[in-house]
């Protein structure tokens, strides 16, 4: 009963394309590989080609297609785009770039979806033009996803979409919404985020709701928490979306649900991954925040050599040496817990993103001691 909705980035987050030298002429800013230039006809053409690639693999079963389109923060900054904004407005420039891709999907009777953040300040005419051609997906991952007055996503934003006849979806996050290097979701924040969307979805008759699960905050950042370590929040978020509320003890209910699958192996795998991720994350934060920071800020290392307590210094250095051994052990436990669920290469890179920063700083301190 699942419907697959593919996603191809059409504007921002285009790093995987624009990092390649043969496409660098399509960048909005020469040194920034994140955004397509809307004034370059080749930008829309490469997006159309990627969409075609995905559709060829879909077997003709796609009814909706997500085009991303979010966080194009520098749109309209190159000389050609600045002139286009003066002539067309920001909404007009956006539609001029995305329009050919929307037309491609329309010819195949596939409904496009775009993230909403670029349209929140559009004039009504621009929103009405968008309403005829695509749905918007309003995203917000905080405790209070829709605020009154000022805020990231406000009630007035959603009202403006409704007045223009835009079909709007809601997007929460069950993981990847609590920090770029978090190893376990903030359960309180994730539950509040998903529950906070329920009354908005009901009152505004939104088309539907999705839970996002980001694995990196952007292409060039280290990974955040794994799906395997976050399954409880996936289950609880699904319950909130389906029932409009949560069971009295959501964590216990999630465990019971996971325990029903594969003879309880799903629950055991989740607990192993969750525990290993929490232990690695706790070590990473405590090792960096306490031992390294305290040692680096010691007065005798910062221009006052006589202000040195040998016993205290030995305590810091001893803790650092212990953590140099402990970190890799916790990383190995993380790999063991996730083995078979994620290719080994990605597990090793995840662990390196937690242990290598500590190792570099620790060795520099030990070398000077």
């Amino acid at each position: 009963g699942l419907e697959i909705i593919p996603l191809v980035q059409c504007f921002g987050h285009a790093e995987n394309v624009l990092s390649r030298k043969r496409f660098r002429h399509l960048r909005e800013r020469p040194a920034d590989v994140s955004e397509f230039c809307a004034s370059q006809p080749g930008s829309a053409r490469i997006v159309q080609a990627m969409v075609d690639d995905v559709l060829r693999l879909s077997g003709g079963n796609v009814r909706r297609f997500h085009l991303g389109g979010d966080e194009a923060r520098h749109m309209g900054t190159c000389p050609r785009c600045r002139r286009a904004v003066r002539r067309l407005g920001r909404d007009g420039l956006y539609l001029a770039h995305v329009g050919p891709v929307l037309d491609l999907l329309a010819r195949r009777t596939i409904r496009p979806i775009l993230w909403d953040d670029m349209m929140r300040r559009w004039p009504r005419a621009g929103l009405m033009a968008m309403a005829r051609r695509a749905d918007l997906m309003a995203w917000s991952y905080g405790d209070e996803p829709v605020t009154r007055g000022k805020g990231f996503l406000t009630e007035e934003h959603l009202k403006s979409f409704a007045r223009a006849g835009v079909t709007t979806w809601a997007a929460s996050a069950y993981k990847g919404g609590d920090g770029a290097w978090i190893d376990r979701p903030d359960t309180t924040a994730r539950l509040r985020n998903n529950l906070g969307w329920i009354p908005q979805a009901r009152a505004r008759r939104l088309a539907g709701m999705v839970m996002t699960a980001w694995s990196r905050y952007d292409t060039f950042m280290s990974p955040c928490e794994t799906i395997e370590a976050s399954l409880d929040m996936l289950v609880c978020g699904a319950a909130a979306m389906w029932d409009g509320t949560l069971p009295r003890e959501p964590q216990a209910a999630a465990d019971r649900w996971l325990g029903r699958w594969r003879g309880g192996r799903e629950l055991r795998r989740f607990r192993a991954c969750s525990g290993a991720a929490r232990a690695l994350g706790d070590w990473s934060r405590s090792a960096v925040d306490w031992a390294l920071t305290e040692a680096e800020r010691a007065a005798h290392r910062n221009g006052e050599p006589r202000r040195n307590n040998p016993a205290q210094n030995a305590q810091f250095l001893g803790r650092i040496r212990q953590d140099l051994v402990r970190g890799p052990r916790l990383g190995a436990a993380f790999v063991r817990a996730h083995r078979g669920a994620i290719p080994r290469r990605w597990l090793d890179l995840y662990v390196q993103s937690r242990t290598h920063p500590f190792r570099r700083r620790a060795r520099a301190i030990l070398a000077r001691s």
Side-chain angles (χ1 to χ4, degrees):
L2 293 176
E3 176 189 346
I4 304 299
I5 302 177
L7 187 150
V8 167
Q9 298 288 1
C10 72
F11 220 134
H13 299 292
E15 296 90 352
N16 287 328
V17 175
L18 298 179
S19 292
R20 299 174 182 269
K21 290 182 179 179
R22 64 186 174 125
F23 297 125
R24 62 186 173 188
H25 66 286
L26 300 179
R27 299 172 187 172
E28 176 70 3
R29 302 195 304 172
D32 190 332
V33 300
S34 62
E35 295 176 30
F36 284 112
C37 173
S39 296
Q40 289 279 2
S43 295
R45 286 198 292 268
I46 192 66
V47 176
Q48 288 173 299
M50 291 190 290
V51 170
D52 277 334
D53 283 347
V54 172
L55 290 177
R56 274 194 292 270
L57 296 172
S58 70
N61 296 319
V62 173
R63 295 193 303 138
R64 300 178 178 90
F65 202 113
H66 205 307
L67 292 171
D70 61 319
E71 296 185 324
R73 297 187 179 97
H74 303 107
M75 185 189 80
T77 57
C78 84
R80 290 178 63 183
C81 287
R82 283 200 300 271
R83 291 193 295 270
V85 168
R86 288 195 293 268
R87 188 175 73 256
L88 303 172
R90 294 183 66 81
D91 56 321
L93 176 61
Y94 189 100
L95 285 167
H97 165 62
V98 176
V101 191
L102 302 181
D103 293 340
L104 167 69
L105 292 171
R107 288 194 296 271
R108 303 187 182 194
T109 64
I110 297 171
R111 183 66 173 175
I113 303 172
L114 291 156
W115 297 119
D116 77 304
D117 55 295
M118 295 297 293
M119 296 79 161
R120 291 175 187 172
R121 297 182 180 178
W122 276 20
R124 185 170 182 177
L127 290 175
M128 291 176 68
M130 179 62 76
R132 292 189 291 270
R133 306 176 74 179
D135 295 355
L136 296 186
M137 190 169 282
W139 61 278
S140 183
Y141 308 141
D143 286 8
E144 187 181 2
V146 183
T147 58
R148 294 181 178 179
K150 294 182 179 180
F152 176 71
L153 177 65
T154 69
E155 291 184 349
E156 187 53 41
H157 292 141
L158 295 180
K159 287 178 182 177
S160 69
F161 296 158
R163 287 192 294 265
V166 175
T167 298
T168 305
W169 299 63
S172 63
Y174 79 83
K175 82 173 195 75
D178 300 309
W181 299 281
I182 296 296
D183 298 279
R184 268 281 301 159
D186 181 331
T187 57
T188 299
R190 292 306 98 223
L191 294 179
R192 285 178 177 171
N193 176 234
N194 279 288
L195 285 175
W197 267 114
I198 302 303
Q200 297 291 336
R202 284 175 170 164
R204 302 178 193 285
R205 298 186 179 182
L206 300 184
M209 182 173 166
V210 302
M211 287 188 299
T212 62
W214 305 105
S215 295
R216 297 176 190 258
Y217 268 48
D218 69 36
T219 302
F220 305 110
M221 298 181 79
S222 297
C224 52
E225 64 266 52
T226 64
I227 290 176
E228 287 71 24
S230 312
L231 287 179
D232 54 340
M233 292 298 96
L234 172 60
V235 173
C236 290
M241 291 196 299
W242 189 262
D243 298 329
T245 186
L246 285 172
R248 185 171 301 169
E249 296 179 357
Q251 188 70 60
D255 285 355
R256 286 194 299 272
W257 196 89
L258 291 169
R260 292 166 50 194
W261 300 99
R262 299 197 303 139
R265 294 195 299 276
E266 195 73 59
L267 177 60
R268 291 194 292 274
R269 162 63 67 85
F270 161 67
R271 285 177 170 170
C273 292
S274 176
R278 182 178 284 108
L280 181 62
D282 288 347
W283 167 84
S284 177
R285 285 185 293 278
S286 66
V288 171
D289 291 346
W290 188 83
L292 290 182
T293 302
E294 290 291 325
E296 286 174 334
R297 289 181 176 176
H300 73 278
R301 289 192 175 86
N302 295 294
E304 299 182 82
R306 295 184 180 181
R307 293 184 183 274
N308 181 16
N309 183 337
Q312 184 185 57
N313 190 46
Q315 179 186 10
F316 291 157
L317 298 181
R319 169 68 184 273
I320 290 171
R321 291 188 180 97
Q322 290 175 359
D323 280 329
L324 276 172
V325 174
R326 188 163 172 249
R329 289 176 179 170
L330 292 172
F334 180 92
V335 170
R336 285 195 301 273
H338 286 80
R339 184 174 294 147
I342 299 173
R344 178 62 186 262
R345 174 172 180 262
W346 298 110
L347 293 173
D348 289 342
L349 289 172
Y350 187 106
V351 170
Q352 288 176 29
S353 73
R354 271 51 177 178
T355 58
H356 280 200
F358 174 82
R359 188 178 304 170
R360 286 194 299 271
R361 291 173 61 187
R363 288 176 174 173
I365 291 171
L366 294 173
R368 298 196 304 268
S369 300

